[in-house]
Amino acid sequence: MNAPLLRIRLLGGFRLAREDGAPLVARWSRPGARTLVKLLALAPDHALHREQIMAVCWPHAELRTALGSLRVALHTARHALEPELPPRGTSAYLVSDGELLRLAPDTVRVDVDEAQTRAARALRSGRRRELADALEALGGELLPEDRYAPWAEPARERLARRRTELRDALAEQRRSTRHRTARSELDAARVRLDWALHLDRSGQYDEAVTVVREALYAYERQGLRDACTLAAARLAEVLSRGRGAAQALTVLDAHPPDPGAPDAIRAAHHMARSAVLSYRGRYADGLAAARAAERCAGAARGADGPVLLARSLAQQTVCLGLSGLAEQAAGPAAAALAPAEESGDRALLATVLSVLRETERRAGRLGDALAHGHRALALAEQAGRPTATAFERANLAELHLLRDERADAERLARASVELAEPFGGTALAFALTALARVRGGPAPREAARLLTRAGRCAVAGGHLQAIEEVRLARAEMVEAGEARRVSR
């Protein structure tokens, strides 16, 4: 009797289904078993040598221990895929081939394979509908629960390249229409702006700057003033987070909104100016620009209104807090929450909750601050924002330290540094500062070394708040050392 087909879904999250509708195991007793199946589903021809699997799943284990773990994981995976399998039965889905383990080609289908086949067929045909459908089929994130797993990166890159090919093919197809030159350029610019937002939120600031500049140049060639203003606002914000902060105001001044520009365009311009000014330590000017953005956002129509309103209110809170006006910051922070929820933008909501977390911390309400911070962390992770995730972990670590919950503080601070390490700059400066504060009591020399490195990262990132945070941490360490000497 032929086994029913097993379908493995990787796009949008790991899921399994059998064509006979038989219920499968909901909770796997061994995480390594799930990883084993995912590795095989992503591997070429769905086959891997046993040593390759052990190197990923149990990299630090001795060979005998790793072999034992592999046997247990393999047994668990087979019975998860086929609950009715007898104890010594032969699996219809996960089979051994000498030293190789493979998914049986006749009984297993993987959604990534089918989407890739569909994309290849669409690229050969060049038909717009097929290209669009293929791009949609590839739209889900690959294994979001394993977003930062190194073993999934090659597959993510392959899918990203295929999506780029499909987008390029769509753009090329549009160019063949009657208005192909101008239209394709504008379409490409819009795609670039969307892609730049993803790069920005992923912490890839240099790449985002390049992509936004290309979109801005395209709008300049077409003479689209409002689009230029919007692209310049996006470019200025990205520049202010990276090494080009000094250029950001110049970019904004070169593309101001026209007097008759839509409210959303004017709000975006003021919002960008506020962000740039606050990054440069000009908090009073940043506050004025954020309030101007709020006035425009309140009159804006469409989906951009709630987003810009929430951002402008959150930005006011940041400027007020950094100016030492914490009591005045509470009102805008609370008002930002409703439009952020309405927007449906997880990254924006995470930012607002982060601002609320800091407001509650300054007011001494550490329990409320932790609640906001943990929710912000979860949303930042879901939105795929590694630098924001590292920042939230660092701040949560310091909150737990204030509550003398050192184990939680240590865990979060270490995780923050680990995640921020590849990005360096501002993200790593905040992470190292948090870890230094956690280590400051029991290991002051190590904390001093961490702060030295944090200082270099803050200067490299050009972020004044990060530089100030390192300075404050050093002052706290000196004060704590003096207190210890006096107590002796």
Side-chain angles (χ1 to χ4, degrees), residues 171-401:
E172 182 63 30
Q173 199 276 343
R174 292 188 186 104
R175 280 195 290 271
S176 67
T177 62
R178 187 160 53 94
H179 303 291
R180 60 185 180 275
T181 304
R183 178 53 56 192
S184 65
E185 187 170 38
L186 296 181
D187 287 344
R190 282 192 288 270
V191 170
R192 287 188 179 100
L193 283 181
D194 290 341
W195 181 239
L197 180 60
H198 167 76
L199 292 170
D200 183 18
R201 289 180 169 181
S202 300
Q204 302 175 65
Y205 303 129
D206 291 344
E207 294 89 340
V209 165
T210 299
V211 173
V212 180
R213 282 194 190 280
E214 291 172 352
L216 177 57
Y217 295 155
Y219 291 138
E220 286 176 336
R221 284 192 292 270
Q222 297 297 325
L224 301 175
R225 295 287 300 275
D226 289 346
C228 286
T229 300
L230 192 60
R234 182 78 55 81
L235 177 58
E237 289 201 47
V238 181
L239 284 168
S240 68
R241 283 189 278 277
R243 292 188 290 270
Q247 309 169 34
L249 287 177
T250 301
V251 169
L252 288 172
D253 290 339
H255 299 281
D258 285 339
D263 291 304
I265 298 294
R266 293 189 293 119
H269 174 82
H270 291 307
M271 185 63 235
R273 185 172 292 276
S274 177
V276 172
L277 290 168
S278 67
Y279 275 125
R280 302 190 70 176
R282 295 168 56 182
Y283 303 124
D285 293 336
L287 177 62
R291 285 172 171 164
E294 179 192 0
R295 290 191 293 272
C296 295
R301 298 178 181 178
D304 290 336
V307 172
L308 290 165
L309 182 59
R311 290 191 65 210
S312 62
L313 289 166
Q315 183 64 23
Q316 289 176 47
T317 305
V318 170
C319 292
L320 287 165
L322 293 173
S323 300
L325 304 172
E327 292 183 0
Q328 296 180 38
L337 187 57
E341 296 271 15
E342 181 186 347
S343 74
D345 186 331
R346 287 180 295 187
L348 172 61
L349 183 54
T351 299
V352 170
L353 287 165
S354 180
V355 168
L356 282 167
R357 180 252 307 140
E358 187 62 16
T359 302
E360 295 299 313
R361 185 194 69 77
R362 288 187 177 122
R365 296 186 286 268
L366 300 185
D368 291 338
L370 277 173
H372 289 312
H374 279 291
R375 190 179 173 203
L377 173 59
L379 287 165
E381 290 173 337
Q382 293 167 18
R385 302 184 67 193
T387 53
T389 299
F391 182 73
E392 292 306 324
R393 287 175 180 171
N395 279 279
L396 282 169
E398 295 191 5
L399 281 172
H400 282 291
L401 185 63

Side-chain angles (χ1 to χ4, degrees), residues 41-64:
L42 289 175
D45 299 323
H46 304 306
L48 286 173
H49 196 281
R50 293 169 187 262
E51 290 186 0
Q52 291 176 283
I53 296 171
M54 290 188 291
V56 171
C57 295
W58 305 282
H60 306 299
E62 295 182 356
L63 178 60
R64 180 179 298 178

Side-chain angles (χ1 to χ4, degrees), residues 77-155:
R78 282 171 168 160
H79 285 270
L81 302 177
E82 203 171 358
E84 72 276 14
L85 185 68
R88 296 185 180 277
T90 300
S91 173
Y93 305 119
L94 207 171
V95 298
S96 299
D97 182 6
E99 289 300 304
L100 294 178
L101 295 176
R102 69 171 68 249
L103 297 175
D106 296 333
T107 55
V108 179
R109 298 289 182 272
V110 180
D111 64 343
V112 171
D113 296 345
E114 295 173 342
Q116 286 277 32
T117 299
R118 189 172 185 176
R121 188 166 54 244
L123 287 167
R124 286 195 298 271
S125 76
R127 286 190 284 271
R128 180 176 180 176
R129 174 47 55 192
E130 289 186 29
L131 290 166
D133 290 346
L135 185 58
E136 183 178 358
L138 282 170
E141 181 182 358
L142 180 71
L143 295 174
E145 67 274 19
D146 298 303
R147 182 172 290 128
Y148 305 121
W151 51 263
E153 279 306 308

